[in-house]
Amino acid sequence: PSAEQAQTIEKIYASCLYIQENCTDDLTLEAVASHAGFSPFYFSRILKNATSYPFTEYLNLQRVKHAQSLLAESDLSITEICYRSGFKSTSTFNRVFRQHRGIAPSEYRKHYSST
């Protein structure tokens, strides 16, 4: 790849790490794109090329991963886990979790809880 392409790849990689580390915050496409130094439209397009997920889906996937570890390793309520994972409502949390994992958060906890 050209130097410009390599720099873009590095910025996308850094942005993915940024999203993973801050997924519990109220992240927006505009804020993450700005952090990476891209327009929201361009960032959205290259993130999807790199991860095969649009921004919101990628963010939700990271939030689900965060919730999975809380479900397996804590006694927090599902509602508390929902909010600590960055979701604004339990209905959205349940729907998105089921979309990505194929089971409800409560079922996931029963299967994978270490407590």
Side-chain angles (χ1 to χ4, degrees), residues 3 12 21-22 26 29 33 39 45 47 49 51 55-56 59-60 62 66 72 84-85 91 102 105 108:
I12 287 296
E21 292 167 0
N22 297 282
D26 192 13
L29 170 62
S39 75
R45 199 174 80 218
L47 179 72
N49 285 346
T51 66
F55 173 77
T56 303
L59 175 59
N60 282 340
Q62 301 314 312
H66 183 79
R84 284 193 182 192
S85 299
S91 60
Y108 183 90

Side-chain angles (χ1 to χ4, degrees), residues 23 28 37 56-57 63 71-72 75 98 108-109 115:
C23 67
T28 63
T56 303
E57 278 299 302
R63 288 175 171 169
L71 286 164
D75 293 332
R98 188 180 292 270
Y108 183 90
R109 171 173 265 167
T115 54

Side-chain angles (χ1 to χ4, degrees), residues 67-114:
Q68 280 179 257
S69 56
L70 291 176
L71 286 164
E73 299 161 14
S74 78
D75 293 332
L76 295 170
S77 71
I78 299 232
T79 302
E80 183 69 20
I81 289 171
C82 159
Y83 295 117
R84 284 193 182 192
S85 299
F87 290 95
K88 300 277 185 254
S89 76
T90 53
S91 60
T92 300
F93 172 60
N94 285 316
R95 179 177 47 78
V96 170
F97 193 94
R98 188 180 292 270
Q99 246 177 353
H100 285 282
R101 294 296 167 245
I103 57 175
S106 55
E107 294 170 54
Y108 183 90
R109 171 173 265 167
K110 278 184 213 155
H111 288 293
Y112 299 101
S113 180
S114 59

